[in-house]
Amino acid sequence: MKTKRLVVGISGSSGAILGIRLLELLRGSDIETHLVLTPAAKITIHAETDWKVSDVMALADAVYENHDVGAAIASGSFTTIGMTIVPC
């Protein structure tokens, strides 16, 4: 059972592979990952990597649309160990 939660944001900046690698590393850990991709991140993933956006999303335990203000991670009661924005 995963005991910790981390929100991972992948932006459209060059270097989206860093966010992907983070998700790969956390995949087998006790950290539950909650992913948000910006629209520009989806373009950058396609342009800079051999990854499909759907495969990147599959690395996370949960995925949210960047405009979803009702997402679980938007609540102050959603406990996490933090959030990382990669690249930033």
Side-chain angles (χ1 to χ4, degrees), residues 17-71:
I17 193 66
L18 299 172
I20 296 168
R21 293 286 183 253
L22 176 63
L23 289 169
E24 286 182 308
L25 288 170
L26 294 174
R27 187 79 174 140
S29 74
D30 67 341
I31 297 175
E32 183 179 278
T33 54
H34 293 258
L35 176 64
V36 179
L37 295 169
T38 66
K42 294 174 183 179
I43 294 167
T44 303
I45 289 167
H46 175 73
E48 293 187 354
T49 75
D50 294 328
W51 284 81
K52 293 180 183 175
V53 171
S54 59
D55 292 337
V56 173
M57 293 168 64
L59 291 171
D61 294 296
V63 180
Y64 306 92
E65 292 295 326
N66 71 308
H67 62 275
D68 185 2
V69 296

